[in-house]
Amino acid sequence: MSGLVLDHLAVSYGLRPAVRGLTLHVKAGESVALVGANGAGKTSTLLALAGALKQSARISGTQTFEDRAFPWGDVRARLAAGISLVPEREKVFALLTVRENLRIGASRAVGDRVRVDDVLSWFPRLRERRDTLAGNLSGGEQQMLALGVSLIGTPRLILLDEPTLGLAVPVIEEFCASLRRLRAELGLSALVAESDSNWLPHLADRAVVIDRGRQVADFRRLEERDLDAIHDVMLGLS
Ligand code: ATP
């Protein structure tokens, strides 16, 4: 199976299980939402897929991307394959400028399909503010910068952790439009963790709902009534 295949992922911190046997498939070019309440195991899943879980976490299961297996914990191999994470917190280096943040992305990138100048041309607001400290950007600009950093190199699959969290509605709309455009332009696949079902149709083609580290539902469409059903599942009403 091509694309991303995650098979029976289990993650635990000490004795506490965070993800319990999660199996997922993101086809080439597809965007899948990983939906769940706080503590459902979304961040742990994305960190595992990015090779970036803390070494103290226990992890089992397998991950393949484009039919190649990746050993857990190997960030470098994943970056080389074009898998990169847009993390939820500490997205950018606050005391470095926009351009310096992008250069750090370039220094760890493998391949040069997307360069710093490409990101600055895609996001005019970042270009205008390229010499501004990232800590002085608005939340939306920081999210754009985090996305831009993750795209530098040879992006194939991006893992976005709650990209809409704490942003104002027009900013989310702009972010979703940029993401959609860049996904089409670069042929990117995406796995997007979300706890807010409202934005799912703008971010993903389908959604997997998890609760306490397990899949509890799978929605192949994201129409209005599906969103209501997702909302209900998240509230434990169905
Ligand atoms: P949130 O939106 O709150 O980040 P989440 O769905 O992303 O939630 P995780 O962050 O993966 O969920 O957390 C899953 C479970 O693992 C939670 O019970 C959380 O408290 C626990 N957990 C996460 N990270 C650690 C850690 N480094 N050490 C110990 N427990 C952790």
Side-chain angles (χ1 to χ4, degrees):
M1 235 188 301
S2 66
L4 171 74
V5 180
L6 177 64
D7 195 16
H8 287 95
L9 174 70
V11 177
S12 56
Y13 302 99
L15 291 176
R16 176 192 285 200
V19 183
R20 311 169 196 229
L22 187 64
T23 293
L24 272 180
H25 181 204
V26 181
K27 291 186 220 140
E30 187 182 36
S31 177
V32 176
L34 186 63
V35 188
N38 285 349
K42 304 180 299 295
T43 300
S44 300
T45 302
L46 295 191
L47 287 174
L49 288 169
L53 261 184
K54 280 189 181 165
Q55 287 195 341
S56 55
R58 286 222 322 264
I59 179 163
S60 64
T62 59
Q63 174 184 358
T64 62
F65 182 60
E66 289 167 357
D67 299 319
R68 184 176 145 210
F70 289 84
W72 297 120
D74 191 343
V75 178
R76 194 90 206 130
R78 287 167 172 82
L79 285 174
I83 302 174
S84 72
L85 176 71
V86 186
E88 178 186 355
R89 296 182 190 88
E90 295 147 17
K91 292 169 192 141
V92 292
F93 295 106
L95 296 176
L96 298 180
T97 66
V98 165
R99 205 191 330 227
E100 286 164 344
N101 270 275
L102 291 169
R103 284 200 184 128
I104 287 183
S107 70
R108 50 158 224 185
V110 179
D112 63 357
R113 168 136 198 244
V114 174
R115 302 168 193 225
V116 170
D117 285 346
D118 295 317
V119 173
L120 292 175
S121 72
W122 291 332
F123 299 110
R125 187 83 187 125
L126 292 183
R127 190 174 55 221
E128 275 167 35
R129 311 207 71 194
R130 58 190 178 270
D131 296 319
T132 303
L133 294 183
N136 291 338
L137 299 178
S138 69
E141 290 163 349
Q142 289 191 9
Q143 185 61 279
M144 297 277 185
L145 178 56
L147 174 63
V149 169
S150 80
L151 292 177
I152 291 175
T154 50
R156 310 288 304 274
L157 167 71
I158 47 170
L159 308 165
L160 291 122
D161 200 356
E162 304 228 25
T164 68
L165 194 71
L167 300 182
V169 167
V171 178
I172 297 176
E173 283 169 351
E174 191 188 340
F175 180 83
C176 291
S178 302
L179 182 64
R180 191 183 290 266
R181 184 169 46 84
L182 291 172
R183 274 188 50 222
E185 196 167 318
L186 299 168
L188 286 180
S189 315
L191 182 63
V192 189
E194 262 301 331
S195 53
D196 179 350
S197 55
N198 291 320
W199 293 100
L200 297 181
H202 302 275
L203 290 164
D205 306 310
R206 62 185 182 88
V208 168
V209 185
I210 62 170
D211 179 36
R212 281 162 283 180
R214 286 199 178 93
Q215 180 176 327
V216 291
D218 183 356
F219 289 84
R220 302 257 139 205
R221 284 187 310 269
L222 297 173
E223 285 155 20
E224 196 70 41
R225 60 193 163 141
D226 303 304
L227 299 189
D228 291 343
I230 291 174
H231 193 71
D232 290 350
V233 172
M234 285 177 67
L235 289 176
L237 294 179
S238 64

